């Protein structure tokens, strides 16, 4: 076997030695590429366009205020992650961090829940094409005539478009990581420019004042609190995945210095841009009461307020953002699979842990993530309600996995067993919250647990609006329980098989 000492390596590559790993992934990502990994996972244009209509339908204009609340909560979580990214610059961030802060079993379940959640996020991101492509050109409505994702035609068409996108992103994810990174950087740049243009154009076409955001409108039936709780789904879905910069640590130059900063900057930039896009959409919408905003969302605002020409150009930019987001999420999920398999913690670990020496890419994990996400898309053929069930399930999975890091981290802090010491690759001190560590960590954990319960709560009006599909109402809870049960069964079976092998050896 080739070791680090057998070949010429960069100083960054040596950082893995202390954790017992050999550098196999190619280290080629700079600071902007690291930022792009986190920003493209969040992908403001993808997620805001996908869930704006939902937030408005259930919350009315006041759902805007859920955005800054979620942003503050997620920034607290990101600050904790930034500390860990500098201390543990390893692929499979959530799994690695949780395992080192608690114990291998707890960390394994954190990684297991996270990677399944990431697979669901890949499927959810691919479904976002349905919110944009048919509005861009009616020829993209390949099945039926109703483009709404909540209709039978729209749901089925979303699945078809999503599968096509997954084929393309899987192909890119098995190429050289420099190709993947280049596509990511170009896509993120286009998304930032597009988001800035959308904000400027919407704000210059305003038809009402920002005071409208204090109204619930006729959409909110559960009062102000209910509007904010359900409206927070949009913000919660958008502002996840900022930990991707940590996932890509083994492919990043100077990861101890770069990853903590890009985790925070990616979330901050996405949070500010997304909030302004939502505000601009509310102010520029032709009408807040004609029903279009709660069904067609921001696509309707762009084409009706800015005209077909400008609106379609901006929608084309959103398509690029969706494609790059799907690519980035699939990349992050494949790195999580690779990291867990490298430790022998997954079925078929030997195959999943292999890295193509020429490209530096773990091929099998990328293919597995793509295939599993495509299978999830088939749920859309069963019912249009699957669109929302898939979207909210992935948020809950990631929020819970995040809490399985911030929880053990808080316990370690309270016991005095967690300190950020040492320097990064440039000799500067590692990122640290210092004396703010305990309060920031405590609020981050509380926020994560409250949001997990809020998102998973089986609201009939949200998850089963048409009635008769109890399994969609309980889909998130059932999926989470099933994920844990399957993981526990595999671990128990694996433990039993190891004991069965060990007994004859001991007798002999």
């Amino acid at each position: 076997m080739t070791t680090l000492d057998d070949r010429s390596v960069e100083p960054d590559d040596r950082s893995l030695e202390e954790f017992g790993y050999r550098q196999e992934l190619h280290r080629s990502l700079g600071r902007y590429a690291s930022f792009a990994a986190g920003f493209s996972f969040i992908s403001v244009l993808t997620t805001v366009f996908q869930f704006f209509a939902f937030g408005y339908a259930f919350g009315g204009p006041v759902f805007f205020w859920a955005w800054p609340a979620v942003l503050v909560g997620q920034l607290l979580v990101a600050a904790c992650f930034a500390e860990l990214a500098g201390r543990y610059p390893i692929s499979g961030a959530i799994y690695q961090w949780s395992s080192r802060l608690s114990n291998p079993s707890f960390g394994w379940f954190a990684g297991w829940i996270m990677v399944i959640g990431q697979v669901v996020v890949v499927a959810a991101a691919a479904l976002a094409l349905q919110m944009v492509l048919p509005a861009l050109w009616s020829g993209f409505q390949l099945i039926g005539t109703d483009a709404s994702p909540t209709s039978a035609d729209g749901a089925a068409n979303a699945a078809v478009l999503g599968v096509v996108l997954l084929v393309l992103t899987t192909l890119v994810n098995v190429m050289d990581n420099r190709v993947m990174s280049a596509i990511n950087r170009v896509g993120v740049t286009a998304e930032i420019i597009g988001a800035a243009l959308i904000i400027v154009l919407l704000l210059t076409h305003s038809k009402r004042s920002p005071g409208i955001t204090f109204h619930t409108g006729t959409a909110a039936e559960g009062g102000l609190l209910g509007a904010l709780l359900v409206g927070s789904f949009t913000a919660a879905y958008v502002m996840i995945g900022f930990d991707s910069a940590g996932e890509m640590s083994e492919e990043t130059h100077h990861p101890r210095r770069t990853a903590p900063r890009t985790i925070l900057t990616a979330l901050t930039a996405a949070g500010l841009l997304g909030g302004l896009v939502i505000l601009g959409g509310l102010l520029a919408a032709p009408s807040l009461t004609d029903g279009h905003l709660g069904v067609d969302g921001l696509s309707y605002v762009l084409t009706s307020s800015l005209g077909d020409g400008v609106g379609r150009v901006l929608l084309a930019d959103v398509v690029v953002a969706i494609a790059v987001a799907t690519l980035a999420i699939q990349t992050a999920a494949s790195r999580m699979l690779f990291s867990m398999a490298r430790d022998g913690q997954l079925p078929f670990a030997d195959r999943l842990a292999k890295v193509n020496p020429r490209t530096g890419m773990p091929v099998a994990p990328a293919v597995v993530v793509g295939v599993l996400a495509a299978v999830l898309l088939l749920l859309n053929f069963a019912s249009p309600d699957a669109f929302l069930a898939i979207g909210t399930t992935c948020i809950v999975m990631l929020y819970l996995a995040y809490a399985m890091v911030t929880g053990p981290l808080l316990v370690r802090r309270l016991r005095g067993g967690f300190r950020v010491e040492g320097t990064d690759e440039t000799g500067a001190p590692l990122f640290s919250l210092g004396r703010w560590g305990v309060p920031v960590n405590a609020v981050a954990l509380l926020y994560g647990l409250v949001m997990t319960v809020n998102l998973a709560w089986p609201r009939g009006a949200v998850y089963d609006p048409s009635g008769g599909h109890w399994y969609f109402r309980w889909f998130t809870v059932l999926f989470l329980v099933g994920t844990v049960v399957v993981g526990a069964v595999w671990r128990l079976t694996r433990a039993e098989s190891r004991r069965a092998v060990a007994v004859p050896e001991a007798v002999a």
Side-chain angles (χ1 to χ4, degrees), residues 25 91-92 115 118-119 122 173-174 180 247-248 251 327-341 346 352-353 361-370:
L25 304 177
S91 292
V115 75
Q118 286 174 324
V119 171
V122 174
N173 255 311
V174 300
M180 178 271 297
E247 291 283 4
M248 305 299 290
E251 295 157 86
L327 171 65
I329 301 166
Q330 186 176 7
T331 301
S334 65
R335 297 306 181 269
M336 178 69 77
L337 275 178
F338 163 74
S339 182
M340 296 181 71
L346 289 175
L352 291 172
M361 302 288 273
V363 175
V367 174
V368 168
V369 172

Side-chain angles (χ1 to χ4, degrees), residues 138-315:
S138 59
F140 286 116
Q141 185 63 35
L142 305 174
I143 298 177
T145 56
D146 192 344
S148 172
T150 57
S151 68
D153 289 350
N157 197 68
V160 173
L161 295 177
V163 170
V164 173
L165 177 57
L166 287 174
V167 171
L168 297 176
T169 57
T170 301
L171 289 175
V172 174
N173 255 311
V174 300
M175 296 181 183
D176 191 290
N177 69 346
R178 288 172 295 185
V179 175
M180 178 271 297
S181 176
I183 293 174
N184 217 10
R185 294 196 305 273
V186 171
V188 165
T189 302
E191 180 172 5
I192 292 174
I193 294 172
L197 285 174
I198 289 172
I199 291 168
V200 171
L201 291 172
L202 290 179
L203 292 179
T204 55
H205 286 74
S206 295
K207 293 179 170 58
R208 55 193 65 84
S209 72
I212 192 65
T213 58
F214 292 97
H215 297 273
T216 58
T218 58
E221 300 178 357
L224 179 60
L225 180 60
L228 290 174
L229 288 176
V230 180
S232 67
F233 284 32
T234 301
Y237 181 65
V238 174
M239 287 181 274
I240 53 175
F242 44 85
D243 54 293
S244 291
E247 291 283 4
M248 305 299 290
S249 287
E250 292 183 30
E251 295 157 86
T252 304
H253 295 298
H254 308 310
R256 293 182 187 273
R257 178 175 179 80
T258 300
R261 288 162 175 77
T262 51
I263 285 174
L264 292 169
T265 54
L267 177 59
T268 302
L272 292 176
L273 287 174
L276 290 173
V277 169
I278 289 178
L279 179 62
L282 291 172
L283 300 187
S287 172
L288 299 179
T289 57
D290 63 2
H292 281 291
L293 207 56
V295 176
D296 303 318
L298 285 175
S299 298
Y300 152 73
V301 178
L302 287 186
T303 54
S304 58
S305 297
L306 306 180
D308 278 348
V310 176
R312 290 180 191 277
V313 170
L314 294 174
L315 285 178

Side-chain angles (χ1 to χ4, degrees), residues 61-92:
V62 78
F63 96 98
F64 166 80
W65 292 105
W67 189 274
V70 171
L71 175 58
V72 171
Q74 290 294 69
L75 279 172
L76 298 178
V77 177
C80 296
F81 285 5
E83 282 188 312
L84 296 170
R87 187 168 177 178
Y88 305 113
I90 319 172
S91 292

